[in-house]
């Protein structure tokens, strides 16, 4: 199953998430017009989200993302771990609510 | 410390991105911090590092209208770079010569553009995160990254804007470009020509003055090594689907 969500975050940046899951989360792709330094660390954030179960709460996603942000000293500009967690969960919820 | 200023060039999208990166590498090896200016020919769309090319850009229209498409190494949004519509700059220097804070460094570099526009009699201001506005409307967008101890910021100053063409090339969630959509952009974006009837050359001169104000500088050129490296990076990275379609 695939799900997609997009949201404008406070400050005006757009964050989108595309998720895929079967029994577990299989793929999380985050796109948008925000800034992250270093840019390559987007895959660390996506992997942090992938380590969650799709039924985990938004807070679990946020904490996992924050953990990697701190560990890898990732700077987020125009976007927060909260924004990433929210849009990923919206993508999962959208998928759960969509007609099968 | 003395800045190297590279005068206005005309470059294709892939060479432009590769030239910036080649300069970043040479500054990392100790070359002078560099400020450069260019115009995009052919006109091009650039997308931010984190954007999806297929979601943001109408590739069919770009091909039809002979507009290049390239992914930047910096974040931010999709931009239509019209050859007749803007001047683009890059500032590349060691991180240590800039404020450590992202917002402070954007503000400092963008103050050069504000100074440049003031030279034309246009009052503008920096609007965090990465914009410069005139009368509440955006006139300049900027994007920064930091790699290998080097700060690399590039941005555009809008001289003119063909909103309809921009909407045709960028995906805007609707098949038909409506008058309402065009008006909505015109309510949010402005251009030098809305404020001063100057030639592109006058804008360029004003920006050079803004960017060099208070700095030790010399006008220089790319080294042969930088040119070679840019040529390699253009072909090996920026022209490749593997890079441009990676998200």
């Amino acid at each position: 199953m695939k799900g997609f969500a997009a949201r404008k975050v406070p400050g005006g940046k757009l964050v989108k998430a595309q998720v895929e899951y079967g029994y577990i989360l299989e793929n999380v792709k985050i796109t948008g017009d925000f800034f992250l330094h270093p840019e390559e660390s987007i895959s660390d954030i996506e992997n942090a989200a992938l380590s969650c179960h799709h039924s985990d709460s938004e807070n679990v996603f946020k904490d996992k993302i924050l953990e990697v942000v701190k560990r890898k000293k990732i700077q987020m500009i125009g976007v927060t771990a909260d924004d990433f967690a929210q849009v990923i969960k919206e993508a999962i919820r959208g998928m759960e609510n969509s007609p099968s | 410390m003395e800045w190297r200023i590279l005068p206005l060039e005309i470059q294709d999208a892939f060479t432009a991105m590769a030239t910036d990166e080649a300069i970043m590498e040479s500054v990392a090896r100790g070359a002078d911090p560099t400020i450069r200016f260019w115009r995009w020919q052919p006109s091009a769309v650039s997308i931010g590092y984190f954007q999806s090319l297929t979601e943001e850009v109408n590739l069919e229209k770009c091909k039809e209208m002979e507009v290049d498409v390239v992914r930047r190494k910096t974040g931010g949004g999709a931009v239509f770079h019209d050859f007749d519509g803007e001047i683009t700059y890059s500032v590349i220097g060691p991180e240590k010569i800039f404020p450590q804070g992202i917002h402070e460094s954007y503000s400092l570099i963008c103050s050069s553009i504000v100074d440049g526009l003031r030279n034309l009699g246009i009052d503008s201001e920096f609007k965090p995160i990465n914009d410069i506005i005139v009368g509440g409307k955006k006139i300049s967008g900027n994007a920064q990254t930091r790699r290998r101890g080097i700060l690399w910021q590039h941005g555009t100053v809008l001289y003119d804007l063909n909103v309809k063409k921009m909407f045709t090339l960028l995906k805007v969630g609707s098949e038909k470009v409506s008058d309402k959509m065009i008006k909505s952009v015109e309510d949010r974006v402005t251009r030098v020509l809305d404020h001063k009837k100057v030639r592109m050359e006058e804008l360029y001169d004003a920006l050079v003055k803004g960017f060099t104000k208070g700095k030790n500088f010399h006008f220089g050129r790319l080294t042969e090594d930088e040119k070679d490296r840019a040529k390699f990076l253009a072909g090996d990275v920026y022209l490749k689907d593997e890079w441009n379609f990676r998200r």
Side-chain angles (χ1 to χ4, degrees), chain A residues 4 11 13-14 16 18 28-40 42-43 46 75 77-79, chain B residues 48-52 55-56 73-78 100 102-103 106 129-130 142-147 247:
Chain A
F4 177 82
K13 298 296 178 199
L14 184 67
K16 302 177 186 178
Q18 196 178 302
V28 174
K29 188 170 88 171
I30 302 168
T31 58
D33 61 359
F34 51 87
F35 293 89
L36 280 187
H37 298 167
E39 285 77 5
E40 292 78 6
I42 190 68
S43 57
E46 289 168 340
Q75 274 189 293
I77 305 117
V79 70
Chain B
Y49 185 99
F50 305 104
Q51 292 189 296
S52 159
E55 280 173 24
E56 302 295 335
K73 291 238 167 147
T74 51
Q100 201 186 343
I102 302 287
H103 292 291
Y106 266 117
I129 300 168
N130 56 325
N142 305 274
Q144 182 187 122
T145 184
R146 298 175 184 215
R147 290 161 184 265
R247 297 192 81 74

Side-chain angles (χ1 to χ4, degrees), chain B residues 57-96:
Chain B
V57 184
N58 187 331
L59 292 167
E60 219 169 275
K61 285 286 175 194
C62 285
K63 196 172 178 188
E64 189 184 308
M65 298 168 92
E66 298 180 338
V67 167
D68 285 340
V69 181
V70 71
R71 180 184 298 278
R72 303 188 305 269
K73 291 238 167 147
T74 51
V79 184
F80 169 48
H81 306 278
D82 192 345
F83 176 69
D84 293 314
E86 60 170 55
I87 291 178
T88 307
Y89 76 90
S90 301
V91 172
I92 301 162
E95 272 188 78
K96 63 184 181 199

Side-chain angles (χ1 to χ4, degrees), chain B residues 30-49:
Chain B
D32 287 339
T34 299
I35 297 169
R36 77 184 198 98
F37 302 89
W38 83 91
R39 291 170 67 187
W40 307 64
Q41 192 176 55
S43 297
V45 170
S46 77
I47 61 164
Y49 185 99

Side-chain angles (χ1 to χ4, degrees), chain B residues 218-231:
Chain B
H218 64 274
F219 285 100
R221 58 180 66 184
L222 286 172
T223 64
E224 289 308 311
D225 281 352
E226 286 169 335
K227 283 184 202 167
D228 289 346
R229 181 66 179 155
K231 198 172 175 187

Side-chain angles (χ1 to χ4, degrees), chain B residues 111-180:
Chain B
S111 70
S112 298
I113 299 170
V114 171
D115 284 339
L117 291 172
R118 191 178 299 122
N119 291 332
L120 294 175
I122 300 171
D123 280 328
S124 63
E125 58 182 310
F126 170 61
K127 185 187 175 203
I129 300 168
N130 56 325
D131 293 337
I132 294 169
I133 57 171
V134 176
K137 297 181 183 184
K138 179 171 172 173
I139 197 165
S140 164
N142 305 274
Q144 182 187 122
T145 184
R146 298 175 184 215
R147 290 161 184 265
R148 300 167 59 178
I150 303 300
L151 184 154
W152 165 13
Q153 180 170 318
H154 45 207
T156 62
V157 179
L158 263 188
Y159 173 74
D160 198 359
L161 177 64
N162 184 335
V163 181
K164 193 162 186 183
K165 190 171 180 187
M166 181 183 80
F167 273 143
T168 306
L169 299 167
L170 302 181
K171 285 190 179 167
V172 286
S174 169
E175 283 300 305
K176 195 171 182 304
V177 179
S178 67
D179 290 346
K180 194 177 165 190

Side-chain angles (χ1 to χ4, degrees), chain A residues 9-93:
Chain A
V9 305
K13 298 296 178 199
L14 184 67
V15 186
K16 302 177 186 178
Q18 196 178 302
V19 298
E20 280 177 57
Y21 79 76
Y23 179 67
I24 55 164
L25 261 181
E26 286 160 0
N27 190 26
V28 174
K29 188 170 88 171
I30 302 168
T31 58
D33 61 359
F34 51 87
F35 293 89
L36 280 187
H37 298 167
E39 285 77 5
E40 292 78 6
S41 61
I42 190 68
S43 57
D44 295 316
I45 289 174
E46 289 168 340
N47 286 335
L50 269 178
S51 71
C52 301
H53 192 267
H54 56 76
S55 62
D56 283 342
S57 71
E58 207 167 284
N59 274 338
V60 172
F61 277 85
K62 184 178 83 176
D63 290 345
K64 288 273 188 186
I65 292 169
L66 272 179
E67 191 271 323
V68 75
V69 163
K70 279 182 191 154
R71 184 160 45 84
K72 299 232 168 178
K73 295 182 178 147
I74 300 168
Q75 274 189 293
M76 295 182 283
I77 305 117
V79 70
T80 64
D82 227 357
D83 297 325
F84 287 140
Q86 279 181 33
V87 76
I88 291 167
K89 278 301 286 184
E90 274 170 34
I92 293 169
R93 278 194 294 267

